[in-house]
Amino acid sequence: MAHRYKDFRPRLVSPMQSYGLLAVVAAVAVLAPLVIYPLFLVKVLCFMLFAAALNLVVGFAGLLSLGHAAFFGGAAYAFAQAAKVWGWPFEVSILFGVVVGAALGFAFGLVAIRRQGIYFTMITLALAQMVYFLAVQAPFTGGEDGIQNVPRGSLLGLIDLRDTITLYYVVLVIVVVCLLQIRRMVHSPFGHILGAIRENETRVTSLGLNTSRYKLLAFTLSAALSGLAGALKASAFQLATLSDVSWHISGEVVLMVLIGGIGTLSGPLFGAIFVVMIGHFLATSGLPVSLVVGLVFMACVMLFRRGFYGETVEYLRTRLLSGPQATPKADK
Amino acid sequence: MTELFGVPLAVLAGQVMIGLINGSFYALLSLGLAIIFGLLNVINFAHGAYYMVGAFVSWGLLTYAGIGYWPSLVLTPLIVGAFGALFERTMLRRLYGFDHLFSLLLTFGLALALEGMFRWIYGAGGKSYAVPPSLTGVYNLGFMVLPIYRAWVIVASLTVCVGTWLVIEKTSLGARLRAATENPSLVTAFGINVPLILTLTYAAGVGLAGLAGAMAAPIYQVSPNMGSSLIIIVFAVVVIGGMGSIMGSILTGLMLGVLEGLTKVFFPTASALTVFIVMILVLLLRPAGLFGKDK
Amino acid sequence: MVIESDCILEARGLRKVFGGFVAIAGVDLRVQTGHLHALIGPNGAGKSTLFNLLTKFIQPSAGEIRFKGQDVTSAMPATIARLGMVRSFQISSVFPHLTVYENIRIALQAHARDTWGFWRSEQALHRFDEDVHDLMTQVGLEPLVYTRAADLSYGRKRALELATTLALKPELILLDEPMAGMGQEDVERTSALIRSLARRHTVLMVEHNLKVVADISDKITVLRRGEKIAEGSYDEVAANDEVRSAYMGGAHG
């Protein structure tokens, strides 16, 4: 008899409910630009992707990076350079941004993965600062002004992206595809190894796997997706600036993941919406963003370390799943 | 004019001097980081922010209360240390049982908040702080002109560094501190108040950062972002030296400051990158750091 | 030489010094293919250090290690495991938040080198289900397939760990104090498990207690203060004066 086992994962909502939720989310995503400023929505989408990409390493590989702005901002510069100066088409320029993000991520990973825990975090931060200094000095980045008036062009020469609503739908499709791919990746054969490394690295080593290589791949993939997010943002705002590579951005995206829930698939998406909204409202209020972001950071660490989404899920789990199927039979 | 490697000696000596000053600040800050890390197992991301606050406190004492440089050299570390103690008691303490990353993130948030608050109040521009009258003027060393204040900063911060090292490595207080790190429950059994030691250690570490800020005020512009740009370099210094050794962090700080100064002479554009490049080289060649111990 | 081919693991003049303290002072060890070889000694004899040296988790200060005739003295721990020498830990080492099923599947994945497919669906992993089933049955964990490892009893964690070790199809299994800290019932169950393992595999096992290994091992090596003081069958070792005075007569009989 052939044996087949289930991937045990407690469900909080029934399949019917989840299709319902999905339909609502899809409707909101499609209709949103009719109500809300589309460029703002594109920004939200880019940061959702960025946060989900960072979460891939923070949440699923247990590597806290404070240097992800380098991939985001580096790719933004790469896109702007390719699209404006070299005149490459939109999709090629975006791809170039992704490649630059991935290459930077690979290089960072090679150096940083040699140390663990807190040192890893400090190294990523320092390397990103190095990229920042390079961006300040390099001639092509335009110093304080950045690269401005980057043309958006058209997708495959067919769809004109100068219309922001069109751009929104294009970005929406790209981001959704990437988020689905991230989800698939987390559950993939590779994702399972990554989870095992996070749980007990020594044991994975004794199973004959070189854990550094898996971390490096995870880091590179995360950097590539962060690069995609940065390139898309640069295309939408037609601008690449120093602030995209600054450590504040690295901090903000960590906050998005933390607020939403480290290691949850949907949490960082909510975190991104929340943090981008804070920034948006503060822009007109005169309060400095970093003061508020800093305070939210502290409140989050002190009060809900699992994040909004993580805490909610935990609440629902204890509430809804207190029946016998909630926790698998214990060995007593 | 005397030259060395085709560079006028005065220029070279001047850059070594600037390097020593930067190095003194790297040393003071990485020393504080190492002490806090050693005892609390916390990476104090807000260390740069405390340094910035120290500079502002010193500037504020002079501007609002007319309290001059010398008293503020004592008051500033106390004020900054007291603030640090309060932070440790009310917030940081609650995170000791959790993953280290949370204390890093908490202090990261504090750094952002402090920087944001000072920028909100004082704007992004810098404030200047006059060199105290007793330390104005220069020594003419023949081959170069040495501002007295800069010489003072180097001597003073090195004295503080070495003094701290002596206290930790050579006194019974230091021995108790180190024992508290190794085995808190055992030390508690001997009647030593560990929570108090932790608070005082944190206060002392950030007090050092405040002192560095007060000493830096007359040299650099007092501005809200002076801490964050410095702390990232100090992190690289810490990665290079490894946090296992107090003397190691002092030496690494000085060495890198001088190296950075020299780079400015020979490859001006690369000088901001020096520390980072050294960090990469060290990680590739000796991953545990220069003074780090292999686990 | 005939003896050479019979010997799966060989250490010569193995030595480890920790900052002046000699933990292992030049030990020779030969593990015969098919044997259950026990390495015993009182606390501080250097058993764990020797074990870590053999599995490359620490580097020897001097000496040479050969596995299946191949010099592995400077190999990485992961390489050793891939060559077929797999260790199990003193402190029970499983993935606590994963289920029994997932724990074993990770090991099978590692052995099959099916670890890189980040683009592939989770469905691909069900090809291991049959093997997971076999391994769970072998160690008696089949009824607990969806239990999280953290919720298992100590002895069952040990069994789970053995299952993951077996998943790697090892030629030599190294067990580090497999029965340490167990209750009587678990000791009997685990001892039976090890005996059945030893029928098909070569086993090198570190044990604190001589009596535990008495009736299951083919050969016993006794360590004391980093040195080998006796070697042979249980009867030979037990008859050795030095062993009696150092070990059996001591507090740790």
Side-chain angles (χ1 to χ4, degrees):
Chain A
M1 183 192 130
H3 292 87
R4 190 174 171 87
Y5 296 103
K6 296 189 298 274
D7 294 289
F8 189 83
R9 218 167 284 134
R11 296 190 73 100
L12 295 171
V13 289
S14 69
M16 272 321 274
Q17 283 170 315
S18 66
Y19 289 132
L21 271 174
L22 217 59
V24 172
V25 171
V28 169
V30 170
L31 298 175
L34 305 179
V35 193
I36 305 170
Y37 188 44
L39 201 55
F40 173 75
L41 291 172
V42 174
K43 187 175 178 184
V44 169
L45 284 175
C46 292
F47 276 99
M48 280 174 148
L49 177 58
F50 190 16
L54 175 71
N55 189 40
L56 203 54
V57 287
V58 178
F60 297 105
L63 300 166
L64 176 60
S65 162
L66 269 174
H68 261 52
F71 318 137
F72 184 79
Y77 277 123
F79 169 82
Q81 173 76 12
K84 186 183 178 184
V85 183
W86 298 333
W88 292 1
F90 172 81
E91 54 283 348
V92 182
S93 306
I94 291 280
L95 203 63
F96 181 60
V98 174
V99 169
V100 167
L104 281 170
F106 183 75
F108 274 39
L110 272 186
V111 175
I113 286 165
R114 292 165 169 261
R115 298 286 284 275
Q116 304 199 324
I118 272 161
Y119 283 101
F120 174 86
T121 305
M122 290 197 285
I123 295 166
T124 53
L125 179 70
L127 291 173
Q129 189 71 358
M130 187 170 137
V131 170
Y132 178 83
F133 281 146
L134 283 172
V136 170
Q137 289 179 355
F140 76 91
T141 57
E144 296 285 338
D145 299 331
I147 305 178
Q148 299 181 349
N149 300 320
V150 181
R152 282 186 195 156
S154 61
L155 180 66
L156 301 169
L158 298 171
I159 305 167
D160 189 352
L161 296 172
R162 277 173 300 180
D163 174 37
T164 310
I165 296 203
T166 312
L167 178 80
Y168 167 77
Y169 288 117
V170 169
V171 173
L172 179 67
V173 170
I174 295 175
V175 169
V176 167
V177 168
C178 287
L179 292 177
L180 291 175
Q181 182 57 44
I182 288 177
R183 184 191 145 91
R184 188 182 167 95
M185 204 184 292
V186 166
H187 297 310
S188 72
F190 173 70
H192 279 276
I193 296 295
L194 218 50
I197 292 175
R198 190 187 49 174
E199 287 245 325
N200 190 342
E201 184 167 351
T202 331
R203 183 58 182 165
V204 177
T205 305
S206 73
L207 292 177
L209 303 182
N210 183 343
T211 54
S212 299
R213 293 196 196 152
Y214 294 87
K215 293 188 201 168
L216 184 57
L217 176 61
F219 202 76
T220 309
L221 289 169
S222 166
L225 289 165
S226 305
L228 177 59
L232 288 174
K233 180 178 169 266
S235 79
F237 287 82
Q238 305 184 273
L239 179 71
T241 64
L242 279 177
S243 73
D244 292 337
V245 268
S246 80
W247 64 274
H248 293 91
I249 289 289
S250 297
E252 270 179 36
V253 70
V254 169
L255 180 62
M256 291 170 190
V257 175
L258 178 70
I259 280 191
I262 296 174
T264 63
L265 276 169
S266 338
L269 311 182
F270 293 109
I273 297 175
F274 182 73
V275 175
V276 173
M277 269 171 39
I278 292 185
H280 184 71
F281 291 122
L282 289 180
T284 49
S285 75
L287 267 175
V289 180
S290 59
L291 173 59
V292 177
V293 166
L295 292 176
V296 172
F297 232 117
M298 292 166 74
C300 209
V301 173
M302 295 307 297
L303 302 174
F304 32 89
R305 280 172 287 274
R306 277 193 284 250
F308 283 138
Y309 186 81
E311 297 285 352
T312 311
V313 167
E314 198 57 34
Y315 174 78
L316 290 177
R317 179 169 297 164
T318 48
R319 259 302 164 83
L320 303 176
L321 292 176
S322 45
Q325 26 93 255
T327 40
K329 209 170 28 162
D331 171 38
K332 283 285 136 61
Chain B
M1 200 170 192
T2 331
E3 291 196 357
L4 197 65
F5 310 118
V7 178
L9 194 57
V11 173
L12 201 63
Q15 286 302 334
V16 169
M17 172 60 50
I18 291 175
L20 274 174
I21 293 200
N22 287 336
S24 308
F25 290 125
Y26 296 162
L28 265 179
L29 291 186
S30 55
L31 171 68
L33 275 180
I35 294 173
I36 293 172
F37 182 73
L39 240 68
L40 281 69
N41 238 323
V42 164
I43 271 294
N44 186 34
F45 198 98
H47 218 66
Y50 284 112
Y51 162 83
M52 178 269 294
V53 171
F56 266 102
V57 165
S58 180
W59 174 84
L61 285 172
L62 182 67
T63 312
Y64 301 127
I67 297 173
Y69 180 80
W70 296 107
S72 87
L73 221 43
V74 179
L75 284 175
T76 302
L78 289 177
I79 293 170
V80 174
F83 177 78
L86 189 70
F87 173 71
E88 196 274 343
R89 278 267 140 141
T90 52
M91 305 182 110
L92 192 55
R93 156 152 314 174
R94 292 156 199 265
L95 297 178
Y96 290 160
F98 297 95
D99 197 314
H100 297 343
L101 299 182
F102 288 115
S103 54
L104 176 84
L105 291 176
L106 178 71
T107 54
F108 182 80
L110 178 67
L112 273 175
L114 286 173
E115 187 178 318
M117 192 173 77
F118 277 84
R119 183 171 306 137
W120 189 31
I121 301 174
Y122 295 104
K127 312 273 177 210
S128 48
Y129 186 104
V131 173
S134 46
L135 293 174
T136 46
V138 295
Y139 294 122
N140 195 335
L141 301 180
F143 62 93
M144 71 172 292
V145 173
L146 171 62
I148 295 178
Y149 185 75
R150 300 195 164 202
W152 151 252
V153 166
I154 295 171
V155 171
S157 48
L158 288 188
T159 312
V160 172
C161 282
V162 172
T164 312
W165 174 75
L166 283 174
V167 167
I168 290 175
E169 299 288 332
K170 308 285 171 199
T171 66
S172 63
L173 171 70
R176 256 180 278 166
L177 285 178
R178 277 178 284 133
T181 327
E182 306 273 316
N183 196 339
S185 54
L186 188 71
V187 181
T188 312
F190 285 136
I192 297 173
N193 186 342
V194 174
L196 182 67
I197 288 190
L198 295 183
T199 306
L200 291 179
T201 306
Y202 188 77
V206 303
L208 283 176
L211 177 69
M215 290 204 291
I219 298 181
Y220 309 116
Q221 292 274 303
V222 178
S223 75
N225 62 354
M226 67 191 284
S228 53
S229 44
L230 181 63
I231 194 63
I232 299 178
I233 298 178
V234 172
F235 278 167
V237 170
V238 160
V239 170
I240 295 167
M243 277 184 294
S245 145
I246 302 274
M247 204 35 139
S249 38
I250 300 173
L251 291 178
T252 313
L254 277 179
M255 212 161 63
L256 285 164
V258 173
L259 197 64
E260 203 179 42
L262 289 176
T263 316
K264 198 153 215 147
V265 181
F266 297 103
F267 315 97
T269 50
S271 90
L273 303 177
T274 313
V275 175
F276 301 117
I277 291 169
V278 173
M279 178 186 84
I280 293 173
L281 289 178
V282 167
L283 283 170
L284 293 179
L285 300 175
R286 204 182 136 81
L290 293 181
F291 297 90
K293 286 160 218 142
D294 263 318
K295 266 179 282 172
Chain C
M1 268 195 300
V2 184
I3 298 170
E4 285 294 333
S5 63
D6 279 359
C7 166
I8 186 161
L9 177 71
E10 181 175 23
R12 263 190 227 144
L14 216 51
R15 187 177 164 82
K16 180 68 191 176
V17 183
F18 290 110
F21 170 71
V22 182
I24 296 292
V27 168
D28 293 339
L29 189 74
R30 298 167 62 84
V31 180
Q32 297 269 104
T33 310
H35 267 183
L36 197 165
H37 191 137
L39 194 61
I40 65 162
N43 282 333
K47 302 184 299 281
S48 287
T49 309
L50 182 55
F51 193 78
N52 279 325
L53 284 171
L54 293 174
T55 47
K56 307 311 305 159
F57 272 69
I58 52 181
Q59 273 301 321
S61 310
E64 185 191 46
I65 304 167
R66 284 178 170 275
F67 180 61
K68 294 190 288 183
Q70 188 179 342
D71 187 350
V72 292
T73 314
S74 47
M76 306 274 288
T79 317
I80 296 281
R82 228 170 295 149
L83 286 171
M85 172 157 108
V86 182
R87 76 181 268 172
S88 116
F89 287 79
Q90 182 165 10
I91 297 154
S92 194
S93 176
V94 291
F95 303 112
H97 297 293
L98 303 187
T99 60
V100 166
Y101 166 58
E102 288 166 324
N103 262 280
I104 298 177
R105 195 176 62 181
I106 291 281
L108 286 165
Q109 254 188 287
H111 183 253
R113 314 264 102 201
D114 184 0
T115 53
W116 289 106
F118 63 82
W119 59 92
R120 289 171 58 214
S121 142
E122 182 160 39
Q123 296 308 314
L125 288 172
H126 285 291
R127 70 185 179 98
F128 294 114
D129 284 7
E130 204 59 39
D131 289 343
V132 174
H133 174 79
D134 290 347
L135 287 163
M136 282 192 301
T137 315
Q138 256 186 67
V139 298
L141 285 175
E142 159 71 357
L144 299 164
V145 51
Y146 295 128
T147 306
R148 286 192 328 156
D151 298 331
L152 294 173
S153 77
Y154 189 83
R156 291 214 153 102
K157 273 188 195 138
R158 212 69 234 205
L160 174 57
E161 212 200 332
L162 272 178
T164 59
T165 304
L166 290 175
L168 303 182
K169 314 254 178 334
E171 290 176 57
L172 172 62
I173 303 174
L174 293 104
L175 301 174
D176 192 359
E177 304 208 17
M179 279 158 301
M182 275 186 192
Q184 189 55 38
E185 192 191 333
D186 273 343
V187 167
E188 277 162 27
R189 196 175 350 172
T190 310
S191 154
L193 195 56
I194 293 174
R195 210 173 315 177
S196 77
L197 268 183
R199 271 184 229 124
R200 274 160 292 141
H201 300 88
T202 311
V203 178
L204 173 65
M205 130 184 200
V206 165
E207 185 48 61
H208 171 73
N209 193 326
L210 180 56
K211 295 208 174 76
V212 171
V213 298
D215 47 339
I216 58 173
S217 47
D218 299 303
K219 194 178 196 183
I220 297 174
T221 301
V222 187
L223 283 185
R224 185 180 62 158
R225 291 193 203 122
E227 286 180 70
K228 181 162 93 177
I229 56 171
E231 195 165 63
S233 68
Y234 173 74
D235 295 330
E236 289 163 11
V237 168
N240 182 305
D241 285 341
E242 207 174 345
V243 175
R244 283 169 160 297
S245 71
Y247 187 70
M248 308 184 72
H252 309 287

